Amino acid sequence: MPCERPPRPLSDDGVFYVQSSEPASPRVRYLDGQLSLNDSCAIRRGSKLSRRVPPMYVNGKPIGFC
C-alpha cells in the first residue's frame, strides 16, 4: 500500500508568505514548516502562489500553485 498524504481542505490557516529575491513573487511556508521550492505558480508562470491551495510534494519537497 503506497504511503500517501491525505488531501487537506483549502485553507490558509497557518500558511504564510515569505519574502524572496523577487518582492512581487513571495514563496510560501506551509503547515509542515517547509518552504515552497518555486516562487511563482507551477501552472501559470509569473502568477503569485496561493496560500489556500495545498502544495504537491515531489521527493518530499512542496511545489506551490496559484
Side-chain angles (χ1 to χ4, degrees):
M1 182 177 235
C3 180
E4 294 183 22
R5 295 178 190 219
R8 291 195 302 242
L10 296 178
S11 172
D12 61 355
D13 290 341
V15 178
F16 55 94
Y17 290 113
V18 176
Q19 191 173 24
S20 66
S21 59
E22 181 65 38
S25 300
R27 295 170 78 184
V28 177
R29 183 165 309 274
Y30 295 102
L31 292 174
D32 62 1
Q34 293 191 63
L35 191 61
S36 63
L37 291 178
N38 53 330
D39 60 358
S40 68
C41 182
I43 303 298
R44 280 188 273 178
R45 299 296 291 162
S47 295
K48 186 176 178 181
L49 296 176
S50 173
R51 296 181 317 156
R52 294 183 55 107
V53 178
M56 178 177 73
Y57 287 83
V58 177
N59 294 330
K61 302 294 182 182
I63 304 294
F65 293 94
C66 46

